[in-house]
Amino acid sequence: MLDPDQIRVVAHETGPAAVLAGAGSGKTRCTTERAARRLTESAVPSEGLILLTFTNKAAAEMRERLRKRLPESVKLPWIGTFHSFGNRLLRSHGRRIGVPSNATLMDADDASRMLDAFLAVPLPDKSRRIDALRLYETVCAHGLDVTEEADVDAIEALCARHGFSGHACRGFIEALRRFEAEKRRAAVLDFADLILLPQRLLRRHPSLQETLRQTLRDVTVDEAQDTDGAQFRLLQLITPLDNTVLLVGDDDQAIYEWRHARPENMRDFIERYGATVYRLERNYRSTPAIVSGGAALVRHNENRLEKNPYAVRPAPPADTVRLVEYEDGEAMADGVAERIAAAIATGTSPADIAVLYRKNRLSRIVETALLRQGIPYRIKAGTDLLSYAEVRMMLAAGRMATNRRDVRALARLADLVPGLGAKGVGHMVAAGDEPLLQTGRLSAKAAQGVRELAAALEALYRRGPGELLEWCEQTPLFRAWLHGRARASLQAAGRPTDPQEVRQALRPALARMGAVQAAMRKRLESLLGGSLDERWATALEVIAAGTDEAESDVPKVTLCTVHASKGLEWSTVHLFGFSEGLMPMAREDVVENLPEERRLAYVALTRAQNQIILHHADRLDLGNGAGPGRFAVSRFLHEIAQGHKVETIDRRPGGDKPTDPDSRATARDWIAQMRKAIS
């Protein structure tokens, strides 16, 4: 059943609207229900409705919900991220601006290396080039196109703001233009191109834009507070003729300003279009203590879109927000582990518990304490799968199979061919547009290897992206490279290199490659039919999305940063390091963005369904080489307490230790129970 506020959103027909959806308010259900109603009752054609999401995971969830809600006779609308929408548009019409349908997407490392090579001429100093790479991200996030004269003044203004003026600014802009020309020559894209190039396409071809705006009847944007300037500019270009755009989001959960998100996009949209505003204020997730404490915290931010969340659930016994204080970080980690052990001993699944922290470095001390207790855990987004060499090589093979001009992919694949090396790749690239055919200046051994690689890649293209992993395992060149890496790692560790040990050493790499293959197949599920080029382009979109380690069937406690927890929920949440300097984060005692830090704390609180426990240590080593430092309790504690009383438990030596309901079972009790259970 929908509540009255949700019903009003679902009933919205045409015209611009903004849905201010608080944490746990059921926005996904509300959004998909409206889409279903528009497709069935309002007779909006499937091709006329799109849902733009912030993550591929959110898109998959919406797609699945809508599939269950719609009759089989109604085709699913397009659902995906801004970047996948941009990629789709480029595959269909990109040739109009020099982007072929088989253009391949570079990973972030390849794109950075290519741009760095062009920046090296005007900016020989490495530190300045690092600053220039960050400036490029800023330029892209603003939606500015270096090939558009109308954008040059704005780019120059950004240059000046970031310390690039005069010769440095001109050199930077010229490097970007050369970078752009090389990407078009090699038929490759970087992540930013998926937003910028569709804008270029629609501006230069107004008839195409007009056709698209006539076709689209209803556009919904989920997590609108996380959009950046470039995404908002693209949205304006594709807005239906009657301005039927639904922005769904919560500016109180805007935690990505550091990566150029603009939560003010929602306010600008409301003011510019005169949008109808709906508020979803009922929280179905958390207890009253969590909801009221979180609401009191975030109300201290100015210039927010006003909303008054409240809990639907009745207050359980001992409904409270708890703060536990410790002498040092080790004691804090042990305290968290003991509480988790006690909860598991009383029947709580490890999968219902999370430990959140502000900095990844803090995970190490938590891991140590959990390991001592024998508590199973997983680290979410600890390392992106796409950062592993074997995954990058696997994806480079896919890129080269579909685009023989992708020179960055070829540079990676050179490691598969004995005797080729960077020099040989340079000769091949210089000789022609299809480097794999240019073997004239290579040694006989290298030339033979390149021919084998070319034939294998041709076979891979025909097999399709769903069999990329099998290809990697079966292709001699790739298999030899994998085995060589495994043997090298064993030798470095002083271990035997017999076949059994090599197979064992390969298991983690193959598991990571398998997880990426699974993600590619998942993406292909959304593509019904389509050419082989389309299937490859869709599958390779995983390059643009962070991919976590594969989930385990074994219930585990989740460890992750507060940023990585966005969109998730657990029964119990432990916030590790609720201290000044961590929450809010400070550098040299200066908090750069206090409103966003407050929103981050709000997100952490509202991940909890039943319990939120804040943990503070007076002395803590952040693992940055500075040694242990002194910390005070977070200033946010007082603000939370204005909404709901905070129960304080002092675990420091000599401190006041009231009866702690979560520590009735000790770790020793838990271990004894587990031994009894398996005996």
Side-chain angles (χ1 to χ4, degrees):
M1 286 217 24
L2 298 172
D3 65 43
D5 294 327
Q6 293 172 336
I7 289 172
R8 282 190 283 273
V9 174
V10 171
H12 181 83
E13 280 286 334
T14 58
V19 182
L20 309 183
S25 62
K27 70 176 178 68
T28 302
R29 182 187 178 200
C30 186
T31 302
T32 52
E33 185 65 26
R34 179 180 179 271
R37 192 193 68 78
R38 292 283 284 159
L39 291 167
T40 54
E41 297 177 22
S42 302
V44 174
S46 297
E47 62 272 17
L49 189 150
I50 63 173
L51 294 112
L52 296 169
T53 65
F54 192 62
T55 65
N56 290 309
K57 181 181 178 181
E61 182 182 356
M62 281 192 182
R63 196 177 296 113
E64 186 59 30
R65 290 195 184 198
L66 203 50
R67 186 181 284 115
K68 292 178 180 178
R69 175 65 178 77
L70 291 173
E72 290 186 4
S73 58
V74 178
K75 181 183 174 185
L76 278 176
W78 191 87
I79 307 172
T81 64
F82 272 94
H83 292 88
S84 58
F85 174 79
N87 199 16
R88 177 193 181 202
L89 201 58
L90 291 173
R91 290 202 306 270
S92 300
H93 305 284
R95 288 191 179 277
R96 301 189 188 196
I97 54 170
V99 181
S101 60
N102 69 335
T104 45
L105 186 61
M106 295 185 287
D107 63 46
D109 184 65
D110 279 348
S112 179
R113 288 174 182 269
M114 180 184 282
L115 177 54
D116 185 73
F118 288 104
L119 289 168
V121 176
L123 301 169
D125 183 73
K126 182 65 177 177
S127 64
R128 288 287 282 167
R129 293 206 302 279
I130 292 173
D131 291 340
L133 290 169
R134 295 194 186 104
L135 176 56
Y136 172 66
E137 292 176 3
T138 304
V139 168
C140 294
H142 280 71
L144 301 174
D145 188 340
V146 73
T147 69
E148 297 284 347
E149 286 300 321
D151 285 349
V152 171
D153 286 347
I155 295 173
E156 289 177 347
L158 282 177
C159 285
R161 199 180 308 165
H162 288 78
F164 288 80
S165 58
H167 177 74
C169 177
R170 291 190 297 273
F172 172 76
I173 291 174
E174 182 58 30
L176 293 195
R177 286 171 173 161
R178 290 180 178 179
F179 177 52
E180 173 66 19
E182 177 59 22
K183 286 189 291 182
R184 300 292 77 78
R185 189 195 70 80
V188 295
L189 306 168
D190 66 4
F191 193 35
D193 285 332
L194 301 184
I195 304 296
L196 294 177
L197 292 181
Q199 292 180 58
R200 185 186 302 174
L201 172 67
L202 296 176
R203 288 198 201 98
R204 295 183 182 180
H205 298 275
S207 61
L208 175 63
Q209 184 197 7
E210 187 69 12
T211 300
L212 183 60
R213 293 187 67 201
Q214 288 174 351
T215 302
L216 293 178
R217 299 268 299 280
D218 197 305
V219 177
T220 295
V221 180
D222 188 33
E223 302 287 5
Q225 77 280 351
D226 294 328
T227 57
D228 60 23
Q231 291 163 335
F232 200 62
R233 290 179 76 169
L234 179 58
L235 177 64
Q236 290 174 297
L237 289 168
I238 65 170
T239 294
L241 295 177
D242 64 355
N243 294 331
T244 301
V245 173
L246 195 76
L247 294 193
V248 184
D250 181 9
D251 60 335
D252 288 336
Q253 299 184 69
I255 60 174
Y256 295 111
E257 283 191 77
W258 56 276
R259 80 183 180 197
H260 310 292
R262 295 182 74 255
E264 59 267 34
N265 281 344
M266 293 192 72
R267 185 182 297 277
D268 292 348
F269 172 81
I270 293 169
E271 293 175 354
R272 179 177 300 180
Y273 291 93
T276 303
V277 177
Y278 302 98
R279 289 176 170 82
L280 303 182
E281 296 177 322
R282 293 172 173 84
N283 183 302
Y284 295 94
R285 175 187 299 156
S286 306
T287 69
I290 296 169
V291 175
S292 58
L297 167 69
V298 81
R299 283 194 191 104
H300 284 78
N301 278 348
E302 298 177 352
N303 299 318
R304 55 185 288 271
L305 295 167
E306 189 58 39
K307 50 199 125 8
N308 295 290
Y310 59 93
V312 174
R313 296 171 52 187
D319 184 28
T320 187
V321 177
R322 292 196 183 100
L323 171 74
V324 189
E325 298 180 290
Y326 307 85
E327 182 180 29
D328 55 37
E330 287 73 18
M332 180 166 61
D334 288 340
V336 170
E338 289 169 9
R339 283 175 166 271
I340 293 173
I344 294 172
T346 56
T348 301
S349 170
D352 291 332
I353 303 170
V355 183
L356 309 183
Y357 35 79
R358 186 66 176 83
K359 296 173 69 75
N360 271 312
R361 289 193 183 103
L362 292 175
S363 69
R364 300 169 188 171
I365 187 173
V366 180
E367 285 186 81
T368 301
L370 294 179
L371 286 168
R372 281 200 295 265
Q373 297 281 9
I375 298 171
Y377 67 90
R378 70 180 186 110
I379 299 179
K380 175 176 170 52
T383 305
D384 191 332
L385 285 178
L386 304 185
S387 68
Y388 288 95
E390 64 272 8
V391 171
R392 287 181 173 176
M393 188 69 81
M394 171 185 176
L395 293 173
R399 287 160 52 189
M400 199 70 193
T402 192
N403 174 17
R404 298 300 183 88
R405 290 189 285 165
D406 191 336
V407 294
R408 291 303 312 174
L410 177 60
R412 285 198 186 280
L413 294 173
D415 287 346
L416 302 183
V417 180
L420 180 57
K423 187 176 181 180
V425 171
H427 291 320
M428 294 165 67
V429 171
D433 284 341
E434 284 204 42
L436 282 176
L437 301 178
Q438 316 300 328
T439 59
R441 296 185 62 185
L442 304 182
S443 68
K445 182 180 180 181
Q448 179 59 31
V450 169
R451 285 190 287 270
E452 289 178 18
L453 177 62
L457 291 172
E458 182 65 35
L460 171 60
Y461 175 77
R462 293 193 300 269
R463 291 174 69 168
E467 296 187 35
L468 177 55
L469 176 61
E470 289 82 357
W471 179 90
C472 292
E473 293 178 310
Q474 297 167 5
T475 300
L477 287 171
F478 202 108
R479 191 171 63 245
W481 177 81
L482 271 178
H483 282 245
R485 284 179 56 84
R487 283 192 294 272
S489 67
L490 290 170
Q491 289 171 348
R495 294 170 56 190
T497 57
D498 58 87
Q500 185 174 348
E501 287 285 339
V502 170
R503 283 194 298 271
Q504 185 69 24
L506 278 173
R507 284 185 177 179
L510 292 173
R512 289 188 285 266
M513 293 166 70
V516 173
Q517 179 71 84
M520 295 175 78
R521 287 171 177 160
K522 191 73 175 176
R523 295 192 67 80
L524 290 170
E525 289 177 4
S526 64
L527 184 66
L528 300 175
S531 67
L532 200 51
D533 277 346
E534 287 178 306
R535 292 182 62 78
W536 272 109
T538 299
L540 289 171
E541 282 181 3
V542 298
I543 294 171
T547 306
D548 289 343
E549 298 275 1
E551 298 281 342
S552 170
D553 293 333
V554 179
K556 297 179 180 180
V557 174
T558 298
L559 274 59
C560 66
T561 64
V562 180
H563 281 102
S565 75
K566 181 76 178 298
L568 304 175
E569 60 186 54
W570 297 270
S571 176
T572 300
V573 170
H574 297 270
L575 185 50
F576 189 81
F578 192 65
S579 310
E580 284 291 312
L582 284 173
M583 189 163 282
M585 177 72 75
R587 293 177 176 82
E588 298 180 357
D589 297 326
V590 176
V591 179
E592 295 179 355
N593 190 338
L594 182 59
E596 176 154 316
E597 291 294 320
R598 187 174 281 116
R599 294 192 294 265
L600 195 64
Y602 174 73
V603 166
L605 290 173
T606 55
R607 298 313 91 196
Q609 298 167 324
N610 300 314
Q611 285 193 90
I612 179 70
I613 305 166
L614 315 172
H615 299 267
H616 162 74
D618 294 336
R619 193 172 67 254
L620 185 62
D621 189 343
L622 299 181
N624 55 7
R630 303 284 305 181
F631 293 84
V633 177
S634 170
R635 71 185 76 182
F636 295 153
L637 182 69
H638 173 70
E639 297 175 2
I640 294 169
Q642 292 175 3
H644 198 281
K645 183 180 178 182
V646 177
E647 177 189 355
T648 300
I649 300 168
D650 193 343
R651 296 286 300 273
R652 292 170 291 201
D656 180 26
K657 301 182 180 68
T659 301
D660 188 345
D662 290 330
S663 59
R664 290 173 184 158
T666 65
R668 188 174 296 174
D669 295 332
W670 176 73
I671 292 171
Q673 290 182 38
M674 292 297 291
R675 285 173 176 167
K676 184 178 179 180
I678 63 176
S679 62

mmCIF file of all heavy atoms in Angstrom, residues 316-340:
data_model
loop_
_atom_site.group_PDB
_atom_site.id
_atom_site.type_symbol
_atom_site.label_atom_id
_atom_site.label_comp_id
_atom_site.label_asym_id
_atom_site.label_seq_id
_atom_site.Cartn_x
_atom_site.Cartn_y
_atom_site.Cartn_z
ATOM 1 N N PRO A 316 10.798 0.838 19.860
ATOM 2 C CA PRO A 316 11.024 -0.410 20.596
ATOM 3 C C PRO A 316 11.528 -0.111 22.004
ATOM 4 O O PRO A 316 11.852 1.033 22.321
ATOM 5 C CB PRO A 316 12.099 -1.101 19.756
ATOM 6 C CG PRO A 316 12.872 0.030 19.150
ATOM 7 C CD PRO A 316 11.881 1.122 18.900
ATOM 8 N N PRO A 317 11.609 -1.120 22.875
ATOM 9 C CA PRO A 317 12.188 -0.904 24.208
ATOM 10 C C PRO A 317 13.623 -0.391 24.095
ATOM 11 O O PRO A 317 14.383 -0.814 23.223
ATOM 12 C CB PRO A 317 12.144 -2.303 24.834
ATOM 13 C CG PRO A 317 11.075 -3.041 24.079
ATOM 14 C CD PRO A 317 11.108 -2.507 22.696
ATOM 15 N N ALA A 318 13.981 0.525 24.959
ATOM 16 C CA ALA A 318 15.343 1.080 25.007
ATOM 17 C C ALA A 318 15.760 1.678 23.672
ATOM 18 O O ALA A 318 16.893 1.496 23.214
ATOM 19 C CB ALA A 318 16.348 0.011 25.437
ATOM 20 N N ASP A 319 14.800 2.366 23.017
ATOM 21 C CA ASP A 319 15.116 3.030 21.749
ATOM 22 C C ASP A 319 15.985 4.249 22.024
ATOM 23 O O ASP A 319 15.532 5.232 22.603
ATOM 24 C CB ASP A 319 13.821 3.440 21.047
ATOM 25 C CG ASP A 319 14.080 4.051 19.666
ATOM 26 O OD1 ASP A 319 15.094 3.707 19.044
ATOM 27 O OD2 ASP A 319 13.243 4.861 19.221
ATOM 28 N N THR A 320 17.226 4.197 21.600
ATOM 29 C CA THR A 320 18.157 5.279 21.913
ATOM 30 C C THR A 320 19.300 5.314 20.910
ATOM 31 O O THR A 320 19.522 4.365 20.159
ATOM 32 C CB THR A 320 18.724 5.103 23.342
ATOM 33 O OG1 THR A 320 19.508 6.237 23.702
ATOM 34 C CG2 THR A 320 19.609 3.847 23.411
ATOM 35 N N VAL A 321 19.998 6.432 20.912
ATOM 36 C CA VAL A 321 21.284 6.557 20.227
ATOM 37 C C VAL A 321 22.358 6.433 21.295
ATOM 38 O O VAL A 321 22.287 7.106 22.324
ATOM 39 C CB VAL A 321 21.403 7.907 19.490
ATOM 40 C CG1 VAL A 321 22.792 8.043 18.855
ATOM 41 C CG2 VAL A 321 20.311 8.057 18.443
ATOM 42 N N ARG A 322 23.338 5.563 21.066
ATOM 43 C CA ARG A 322 24.370 5.327 22.070
ATOM 44 C C ARG A 322 25.707 5.864 21.610
ATOM 45 O O ARG A 322 26.083 5.737 20.452
ATOM 46 C CB ARG A 322 24.511 3.836 22.388
ATOM 47 C CG ARG A 322 23.330 3.226 23.096
ATOM 48 C CD ARG A 322 23.703 1.888 23.721
ATOM 49 N NE ARG A 322 22.520 1.290 24.326
ATOM 50 C CZ ARG A 322 21.785 0.345 23.779
ATOM 51 N NH1 ARG A 322 22.124 -0.153 22.613
ATOM 52 N NH2 ARG A 322 20.713 -0.125 24.384
ATOM 53 N N LEU A 323 26.455 6.426 22.547
ATOM 54 C CA LEU A 323 27.852 6.800 22.353
ATOM 55 C C LEU A 323 28.681 6.004 23.340
ATOM 56 O O LEU A 323 28.405 6.021 24.544
ATOM 57 C CB LEU A 323 28.071 8.293 22.589
ATOM 58 C CG LEU A 323 29.544 8.730 22.622
ATOM 59 C CD1 LEU A 323 30.145 8.723 21.219
ATOM 60 C CD2 LEU A 323 29.712 10.104 23.257
ATOM 61 N N VAL A 324 29.705 5.300 22.839
ATOM 62 C CA VAL A 324 30.625 4.558 23.694
ATOM 63 C C VAL A 324 31.996 5.215 23.579
ATOM 64 O O VAL A 324 32.505 5.417 22.472
ATOM 65 C CB VAL A 324 30.702 3.071 23.296
ATOM 66 C CG1 VAL A 324 31.495 2.297 24.348
ATOM 67 C CG2 VAL A 324 29.305 2.466 23.148
ATOM 68 N N GLU A 325 32.585 5.543 24.729
ATOM 69 C CA GLU A 325 33.862 6.236 24.764
ATOM 70 C C GLU A 325 34.965 5.303 25.248
ATOM 71 O O GLU A 325 34.766 4.515 26.190
ATOM 72 C CB GLU A 325 33.778 7.466 25.674
ATOM 73 C CG GLU A 325 32.763 8.504 25.189
ATOM 74 C CD GLU A 325 32.693 9.713 26.089
ATOM 75 O OE1 GLU A 325 32.200 9.586 27.228
ATOM 76 O OE2 GLU A 325 33.136 10.790 25.666
ATOM 77 N N TYR A 326 36.142 5.409 24.621
ATOM 78 C CA TYR A 326 37.275 4.537 24.926
ATOM 79 C C TYR A 326 38.534 5.377 25.121
ATOM 80 O O TYR A 326 38.602 6.540 24.705
ATOM 81 C CB TYR A 326 37.514 3.530 23.798
ATOM 82 C CG TYR A 326 36.310 2.726 23.393
ATOM 83 C CD1 TYR A 326 35.403 3.234 22.457
ATOM 84 C CD2 TYR A 326 36.076 1.467 23.905
ATOM 85 C CE1 TYR A 326 34.313 2.494 22.054
ATOM 86 C CE2 TYR A 326 34.981 0.714 23.502
ATOM 87 C CZ TYR A 326 34.102 1.229 22.580
ATOM 88 O OH TYR A 326 33.016 0.498 22.177
ATOM 89 N N GLU A 327 39.542 4.716 25.684
ATOM 90 C CA GLU A 327 40.818 5.393 25.896
ATOM 91 C C GLU A 327 41.593 5.544 24.585
ATOM 92 O O GLU A 327 42.169 6.586 24.315
ATOM 93 C CB GLU A 327 41.663 4.623 26.915
ATOM 94 C CG GLU A 327 42.999 5.293 27.233
ATOM 95 C CD GLU A 327 43.811 4.500 28.247
ATOM 96 O OE1 GLU A 327 43.671 3.244 28.295
ATOM 97 O OE2 GLU A 327 44.587 5.135 28.997
ATOM 98 N N ASP A 328 41.628 4.485 23.763
ATOM 99 C CA ASP A 328 42.404 4.532 22.530
ATOM 100 C C ASP A 328 41.739 3.708 21.431
ATOM 101 O O ASP A 328 40.712 3.056 21.654
ATOM 102 C CB ASP A 328 43.845 4.042 22.753
ATOM 103 C CG ASP A 328 43.919 2.648 23.369
ATOM 104 O OD1 ASP A 328 43.077 1.788 23.023
ATOM 105 O OD2 ASP A 328 44.834 2.409 24.195
ATOM 106 N N GLY A 329 42.345 3.754 20.236
ATOM 107 C CA GLY A 329 41.769 3.098 19.075
ATOM 108 C C GLY A 329 41.676 1.593 19.223
ATOM 109 O O GLY A 329 40.701 0.972 18.776
ATOM 110 N N GLU A 330 42.707 0.972 19.813
ATOM 111 C CA GLU A 330 42.682 -0.480 19.983
ATOM 112 C C GLU A 330 41.534 -0.911 20.882
ATOM 113 O O GLU A 330 40.812 -1.882 20.591
ATOM 114 C CB GLU A 330 44.008 -0.970 20.572
ATOM 115 C CG GLU A 330 45.179 -0.952 19.604
ATOM 116 C CD GLU A 330 45.694 0.463 19.314
ATOM 117 O OE1 GLU A 330 45.392 1.385 20.103
ATOM 118 O OE2 GLU A 330 46.384 0.651 18.282
ATOM 119 N N ALA A 331 41.336 -0.157 21.970
ATOM 120 C CA ALA A 331 40.220 -0.464 22.859
ATOM 121 C C ALA A 331 38.884 -0.262 22.149
ATOM 122 O O ALA A 331 37.938 -1.028 22.349
ATOM 123 C CB ALA A 331 40.296 0.411 24.114
ATOM 124 N N MET A 332 38.808 0.762 21.311
ATOM 125 C CA MET A 332 37.583 1.017 20.558
ATOM 126 C C MET A 332 37.294 -0.138 19.595
ATOM 127 O O MET A 332 36.152 -0.613 19.523
ATOM 128 C CB MET A 332 37.695 2.337 19.806
ATOM 129 C CG MET A 332 36.461 2.702 18.989
ATOM 130 S SD MET A 332 36.413 4.425 18.410
ATOM 131 C CE MET A 332 37.900 4.492 17.373
ATOM 132 N N ALA A 333 38.309 -0.593 18.875
ATOM 133 C CA ALA A 333 38.116 -1.704 17.944
ATOM 134 C C ALA A 333 37.709 -2.971 18.691
ATOM 135 O O ALA A 333 36.809 -3.707 18.253
ATOM 136 C CB ALA A 333 39.387 -1.942 17.151
ATOM 137 N N ASP A 334 38.368 -3.238 19.823
ATOM 138 C CA ASP A 334 38.004 -4.407 20.626
ATOM 139 C C ASP A 334 36.568 -4.287 21.139
ATOM 140 O O ASP A 334 35.825 -5.279 21.176
ATOM 141 C CB ASP A 334 38.963 -4.572 21.801
ATOM 142 C CG ASP A 334 40.341 -5.059 21.377
ATOM 143 O OD1 ASP A 334 40.454 -5.629 20.261
ATOM 144 O OD2 ASP A 334 41.310 -4.867 22.139
ATOM 145 N N GLY A 335 36.176 -3.070 21.541
ATOM 146 C CA GLY A 335 34.820 -2.858 22.031
ATOM 147 C C GLY A 335 33.777 -3.131 20.959
ATOM 148 O O GLY A 335 32.732 -3.740 21.217
ATOM 149 N N VAL A 336 34.055 -2.667 19.727
ATOM 150 C CA VAL A 336 33.144 -2.933 18.615
ATOM 151 C C VAL A 336 33.046 -4.433 18.359
ATOM 152 O O VAL A 336 31.952 -4.989 18.191
ATOM 153 C CB VAL A 336 33.614 -2.189 17.348
ATOM 154 C CG1 VAL A 336 32.823 -2.649 16.129
ATOM 155 C CG2 VAL A 336 33.478 -0.681 17.526
ATOM 156 N N ALA A 337 34.206 -5.113 18.323
ATOM 157 C CA ALA A 337 34.224 -6.553 18.061
ATOM 158 C C ALA A 337 33.469 -7.321 19.144
ATOM 159 O O ALA A 337 32.741 -8.280 18.851
ATOM 160 C CB ALA A 337 35.662 -7.042 17.962
ATOM 161 N N GLU A 338 33.631 -6.931 20.411
ATOM 162 C CA GLU A 338 32.920 -7.596 21.504
ATOM 163 C C GLU A 338 31.414 -7.439 21.367
ATOM 164 O O GLU A 338 30.644 -8.377 21.592
ATOM 165 C CB GLU A 338 33.400 -7.034 22.847
ATOM 166 C CG GLU A 338 34.809 -7.453 23.226
ATOM 167 C CD GLU A 338 35.345 -6.685 24.418
ATOM 168 O OE1 GLU A 338 34.547 -5.954 25.046
ATOM 169 O OE2 GLU A 338 36.544 -6.802 24.719
ATOM 170 N N ARG A 339 30.979 -6.245 21.006
ATOM 171 C CA ARG A 339 29.553 -6.008 20.816
ATOM 172 C C ARG A 339 29.000 -6.856 19.673
ATOM 173 O O ARG A 339 27.897 -7.408 19.756
ATOM 174 C CB ARG A 339 29.290 -4.533 20.540
ATOM 175 C CG ARG A 339 29.353 -3.660 21.761
ATOM 176 C CD ARG A 339 29.214 -2.183 21.428
ATOM 177 N NE ARG A 339 28.945 -1.450 22.660
ATOM 178 C CZ ARG A 339 27.753 -1.215 23.161
ATOM 179 N NH1 ARG A 339 26.700 -1.618 22.519
ATOM 180 N NH2 ARG A 339 27.598 -0.562 24.290
ATOM 181 N N ILE A 340 29.758 -6.941 18.590
ATOM 182 C CA ILE A 340 29.316 -7.738 17.453
ATOM 183 C C ILE A 340 29.262 -9.213 17.838
ATOM 184 O O ILE A 340 28.300 -9.917 17.509
ATOM 185 C CB ILE A 340 30.236 -7.505 16.249
ATOM 186 C CG1 ILE A 340 30.074 -6.061 15.747
ATOM 187 C CG2 ILE A 340 29.926 -8.497 15.138
ATOM 188 C CD1 ILE A 340 31.061 -5.675 14.653
#
